[in-house]
Amino acid sequence: MLKDGKTKINLMFFMAGILCCLALFFLTGAASNAPTGRYELGLITRSGTLQMYVIDTSTGAVKWVDSMNTPFAELKGD
């Protein structure tokens, strides 16, 4: 079917290109990973007291930190 050597080489390069693209998609996790939120920490001074807050940059939620061992979902919202 493929008697021409140039056609075989072109087909091999084409298949190698497809394989590289598929490998790139699988290795980078482009299939269906949900984005994860990132948190930004800030410090302010209110009436001479230092207070810390956390912003979830994916949702925009701002929460105040009372204890450093508290998960973000359990912090007090603004």
Side-chain angles (χ1 to χ4, degrees), residues 45-60:
T45 304
R46 286 187 180 172
S47 306
T49 305
L50 187 64
Q51 293 182 333
M52 186 172 18
Y53 63 92
V54 178
I55 300 173
D56 182 354
T57 58
S58 64
T59 63

Side-chain angles (χ1 to χ4, degrees), residues 22-34:
L22 287 175
L24 179 70
F25 284 128
F26 285 122
L27 292 175
T28 58
S32 64
N33 287 342

Side-chain angles (χ1 to χ4, degrees), residues 2 5-6 10 33 42 45 55 65-67 73:
L2 297 175
K6 188 174 182 182
N10 287 342
N33 287 342
T45 304
I55 300 173
V65 178
D66 291 331
S67 173

Side-chain angles (χ1 to χ4, degrees), residues 5 12 15 34 60 62 65:
M12 286 176 40
M15 295 303 284
V62 178
V65 178

